[in-house]
Amino acid sequence: MATIEAHDERTARREGAGTVPRRELTYRFLAAVDIEGFSRLNAREQVAAQDRLYQALELAAGRSGLDRSLWQRESRGDSELAILPGDIDGPRLVADYPRHLAAALRQGNEESADGLRLRVRLALHHGAVVTGGFGAVGRAPIEVSRLVNLKPLRRELRRRRDEDLVLIVSTALHREVVESGFGGLDPADFEPVSEVVKGQIFYGHIYYGKRPRPVRSNPSAKRPWSSLLGRLRKAS
């Protein structure tokens, strides 16, 4: 009898070890940041760029009242994907965090003795996330990662030679946070853009503030359905 009980116990342990843990689908804030021109730097400069970005991110979060120790962070060499708690203040992330990050980058560049100027792209989003065995998965991590690499955002950083940061927010975040009126955010300070990446279209809103905007290269981005509505009107 003892032998049978021992066998049952060993079997239960083996079955339990192979059980896939239950995954929870949660809605979270996400932030993706990417260093401009990282691949053109040598190894020493890449290490310096990573260190300075880390310091700037820590400083910006602290000044914004955000606790980075609670963020799930995935470093990718020249970039970082962060999954934030779902209960943080949205306007604090969208309005305060980019402003403090831009100030921290500017301070670091001014105090740098190596002549390396750190410039970054920042994307913010809010959506569904599942934690997998190798990190966050789902539509939201993919979307924020696509947004930070959109060609219009890359062009905008090149255009703003005197600035060290450009910001893009997802359409969902623009609708839910920017248009809420909280945090002193003005929807008119953002310009919609879009790009097809690997067969999927991604929409975002680049922050311009009161500065002049460039001539729009994709006029249909402001109203994604405008071209379709135009074709329907002509057909009728």
Side-chain angles (χ1 to χ4, degrees):
M1 188 68 170
T3 303
I4 295 175
E5 289 176 351
H7 176 269
D8 290 344
E9 183 178 351
R10 289 194 299 271
T11 302
R13 283 201 301 268
R14 285 198 301 270
E15 292 176 351
T19 301
V20 177
R22 182 177 181 271
R23 305 298 187 185
E24 294 184 349
L25 181 69
T26 59
Y27 279 82
R28 310 285 288 276
F29 289 97
L30 301 94
V33 62
D34 191 283
I35 300 173
E36 181 188 50
F38 186 81
S39 61
R40 296 193 298 268
L41 305 177
N42 61 36
R44 179 186 61 80
E45 291 171 331
Q46 288 179 348
V47 170
Q50 288 180 339
D51 290 343
R52 284 172 52 189
L53 177 60
Y54 179 86
Q55 294 170 4
L57 293 172
E58 291 284 326
L59 186 61
R63 289 177 175 174
S64 305
L66 303 171
D67 187 355
R68 263 175 61 88
S69 68
L70 301 178
W71 299 12
Q72 176 186 336
R73 290 171 282 173
E74 300 175 15
S75 298
R76 302 175 178 181
D78 61 344
S79 63
E80 178 186 271
L81 171 64
I83 314 298
L84 285 63
D87 59 351
I88 68 169
D89 180 34
R92 180 173 294 180
L93 173 65
V94 180
D96 296 341
Y97 182 62
R99 174 169 52 86
H100 288 303
L101 180 55
L105 290 168
R106 182 172 61 253
Q107 178 182 344
N109 287 334
E110 291 174 350
E111 296 175 351
S112 173
D114 55 17
L116 175 65
R117 184 182 177 191
L118 187 64
R119 307 180 76 226
V120 305
R121 303 183 306 277
L122 173 65
L124 302 174
H125 180 40
H126 182 255
V129 177
V130 178
T131 300
F134 292 97
V137 297
R139 171 72 182 185
I142 293 174
E143 183 158 350
V144 74
S145 298
R146 296 287 188 235
L147 288 177
V148 80
N149 284 302
L150 288 189
K151 291 178 182 177
L153 191 66
R154 291 176 176 271
R155 287 196 298 265
E156 189 57 25
L157 183 58
R158 291 194 298 267
R159 191 178 76 91
R160 301 186 197 176
R161 299 181 183 276
D162 297 331
E163 300 179 42
D164 303 315
L165 179 142
V166 290
L167 166 68
I168 187 171
V169 301
S170 65
T171 298
L173 203 58
H174 187 272
R175 180 177 60 250
E176 297 168 3
V177 178
V178 176
E179 294 181 3
S180 73
F182 287 99
L185 296 168
D186 185 351
D189 291 341
F190 293 78
E191 186 81 4
V193 296
S194 66
E195 183 183 348
V196 176
V197 182
K198 294 185 177 181
Q200 297 184 9
I201 188 165
F202 293 88
Y203 297 100
H205 290 72
I206 296 177
Y207 176 75
Y208 285 90
K210 306 305 179 185
R211 62 178 60 85
R213 290 151 167 77
V215 177
R216 188 196 301 276
S217 59
N218 51 347
S220 64
K222 189 168 186 177
R223 291 189 175 90
W225 300 105
S226 60
S227 59
L228 174 60
L229 291 174
R231 291 195 298 269
L232 290 176
R233 290 193 188 99
K234 290 180 180 179
S236 61

